[in-house]
Amino acid sequence: MKRLYRLGISGILGLALGASAAIVAAPAEAASVSCQPATATPTDSFPGNTVVADNFESGTLAPYSVVTQGTGTASVSSALSHDGSCSAYLHATIDAGSIANMSVPLPAGSTHAYAAGWFNITTAGVAGNDVPYFRIFSGPTRIMDIFRYNSTSNFVLRVTAPDGTFSYTTMVSTVALNSWHHIAIDVTANGSATAAQVWFDDKSVFNSSTLNVSATSLSSVMLGSEHPTQKADIYVDDLIVKNEPATSSYSFTDVPSNYPYYKEITWAADANITTGWVMPDTTRQFRPLESISREAMAAFIYRYMGSPAYTPPATPKFADVPTNDPFYKEVSWLAEQGITTGYNDGPNGAATFHPLDSVNRDAMAAFIYRLNGSPAVSGTSNFIDVPSTYPFYKEITWLASNQITTGWTLPNGTKEFQPLTPVARDATAAFLYRTNAKFPRP
């Protein structure tokens, strides 16, 4: 049986075709194709409504609109597969007008699209051009795409600004040919606050919620060559595309739309910072008023930074966070980044983390301050309960000066920060949301 972790594909409508272009509903390789049609279709735990789930063992490209032009071809092949016997095969050459792509529309009103799959590029194209993986469209406009750049072998994200100019981000330095790679992208269209996350071989390599595009909805995702000179031989296996309307990736039963921090919690869910708790009836809870523990805060911050590739040490830094702790990786990463130092109250002065303790507001300020590089601080605190001699005065002052916290205004007009109050999960989402608005994540 095929197994899948984060997979998908979808397509593009509205491509302007030349006179010689052909749209083929379901081409297949010749009768020599030998597939396993009884194989179960792939599944994926990523949230959203499944638009397409395909392992190509049916031997056809029936779910897709296929565009071929010139010497371009699109078919099902048994020459290579990531799993099972068959895969989709897209072939384009350097000949004039050679194009091959496949697409499927997203439901009307979609603002959120998730697409991923296993790719094997066996032949790359000409220098200065690229071999595309997924291209995200809003109507006829390609707002975003990810590709392998032929000149450098880089894995690149390209974003189209509202004025039509492009910005490029290199996410992986080298993508090998003749090798299967697992590619995934998740996009939420929201104009100048568009969010996208990209994974390469199941590692997050890009995560931002401040991309500037013209779109507030998504219509389709394309796979394959969009225009001539995109020579390539691309095999694709185990594909899933999902979408959702303009709602959180997770709908929490205890966070209604009129909840004071609904926007911030929704953002945290869409950014994969939190998943909440799955209940027996499959609904989810966020538990917004629960205090957040230090280990959960480590996980929030690690995911906030895009779950960077990291191998934790074989020997624990903290005596109370052993290697089999569920959050060992996240806590170890936090320590290695200098975001936490822990305590020296373990046996014989050993370092401890106190993973199950609640995070107080002053410690939250310190975590976020260090996360952002411990910048220089100017100005003074306006909080009457945070004097200049307070251990975290600098960190709290920095948080306030950057509008990440406002504290509480008392009847006499003065303000309190309440530094020793435990931080609730809803306030944690708010702190990270405001931090990202001021200092966007990498």
Side-chain angles (χ1 to χ4, degrees):
M1 175 179 284
K2 297 199 172 190
R3 297 187 180 181
L4 199 57
Y5 300 96
R6 188 182 281 119
L7 312 176
I9 175 170
S10 67
I12 166 82
L13 296 182
L15 177 66
L17 302 176
S20 61
I23 300 179
V24 187
E29 205 176 0
S32 60
V33 173
S34 177
C35 300
Q36 301 175 11
T39 304
T41 56
T43 60
D44 190 310
S45 61
F46 200 87
N49 304 313
T50 300
V51 179
V52 167
D54 198 352
N55 53 25
F56 302 102
E57 299 299 335
S58 66
T60 75
L61 298 181
Y64 312 100
S65 295
V66 176
V67 175
T68 60
Q69 180 174 313
T71 56
T73 62
S75 61
V76 172
S77 172
S78 56
L80 285 176
S81 64
H82 174 260
D83 202 356
S85 297
C86 289
S87 64
Y89 172 51
L90 299 171
H91 167 74
T93 72
I94 59 173
D95 295 341
S98 184
I99 291 175
N101 63 61
M102 49 194 287
S103 62
V104 62
L106 298 171
S110 296
T111 60
H112 181 199
Y114 168 76
W118 289 92
F119 290 79
N120 190 336
I121 300 172
T122 59
T123 304
V126 297
N129 218 298
D130 59 78
V131 177
Y133 294 106
F134 294 117
R135 299 194 158 191
I136 312 298
F137 283 79
S138 179
T141 303
R142 184 188 70 210
I143 66 166
M144 192 179 307
D145 62 326
I146 50 179
F147 57 83
R148 181 188 186 274
Y149 187 50
N150 294 326
S151 298
T152 61
S153 303
N154 295 159
F155 181 50
V156 179
L157 169 73
R158 172 169 45 197
V159 178
T160 306
D163 63 1
T165 59
F166 301 126
S167 62
Y168 298 86
T169 301
T170 297
M171 300 174 290
V172 176
S173 59
T174 303
V175 179
L177 295 177
N178 295 291
S179 178
W180 286 100
H181 295 287
H182 193 201
I183 309 296
I185 184 170
D186 180 52
V187 179
T188 301
N190 190 24
S192 61
T194 290
Q197 186 167 8
V198 181
W199 294 265
F200 182 85
D201 287 342
D202 297 315
K203 294 180 180 178
S204 178
V205 293
F206 180 86
N207 199 337
S208 175
S209 60
T210 58
L211 301 179
N212 185 22
V213 304
S214 60
T216 55
S217 64
L218 303 174
S219 59
S220 51
V221 184
M222 176 189 287
L223 174 134
S225 62
E226 179 187 1
H227 53 73
T229 72
Q230 287 189 303
K231 170 190 174 183
D233 286 302
I234 309 170
Y235 291 85
V236 191
D237 204 357
D238 286 331
L239 302 172
I240 290 178
V241 61
K242 295 185 177 184
N243 82 291
E244 285 187 323
T247 59
S248 169
S249 295
Y250 301 105
S251 177
F252 300 118
T253 58
D254 53 355
V255 183
S257 59
N258 61 350
Y259 190 81
Y261 292 112
Y262 175 79
K263 177 178 68 175
E264 292 84 348
I265 294 169
T266 296
W267 168 83
D270 280 333
N272 300 304
I273 295 168
T274 182
T275 59
W277 284 266
V278 179
M279 308 309 292
D281 62 356
T282 73
T283 61
R284 290 180 183 265
Q285 290 183 353
F286 181 70
R287 302 178 188 175
L289 298 181
E290 284 191 10
S291 298
I292 190 165
S293 67
R294 286 171 57 84
E295 64 179 8
M297 187 64 205
F300 271 39
I301 292 176
Y302 177 74
R303 297 169 193 157
Y304 172 84
M305 294 303 290
S307 299
Y310 172 68
T311 301
T315 302
K317 175 180 176 62
F318 300 116
D320 54 354
V321 185
T323 56
N324 62 351
D325 187 279
F327 295 105
Y328 177 70
K329 177 180 177 181
E330 293 84 347
V331 172
S332 298
W333 178 85
L334 211 70
E336 190 167 303
Q337 299 298 313
I339 298 170
T340 184
T341 56
Y343 305 87
N344 293 318
D345 58 0
N348 300 316
T352 60
F353 183 68
H354 297 191
L356 300 180
D357 284 1
S358 297
V359 178
N360 289 342
R361 287 171 56 83
D362 57 0
M364 173 71 75
F367 282 158
I368 294 176
Y369 173 76
R370 295 168 192 159
L371 175 65
N372 285 276
S374 300
V377 179
S378 59
T380 58
S381 169
N382 293 322
F383 301 120
I384 61 173
D385 54 354
V386 184
S388 60
T389 55
Y390 193 81
F392 293 110
Y393 175 81
K394 177 176 64 175
E395 292 84 346
I396 294 168
T397 298
W398 178 84
L399 227 67
S401 66
N402 286 288
Q403 294 81 52
I404 297 170
T405 184
T406 57
W408 285 268
T409 301
L410 302 180
N412 63 2
T414 59
K415 286 182 175 287
E416 284 185 347
F417 181 70
Q418 300 183 12
L420 298 181
T421 299
V423 181
R425 287 170 54 83
D426 58 359
T428 301
F431 278 137
L432 292 176
Y433 176 86
R434 296 170 193 160
T435 300
N436 188 67
K438 188 75 174 182
F439 307 101
R441 295 170 294 164

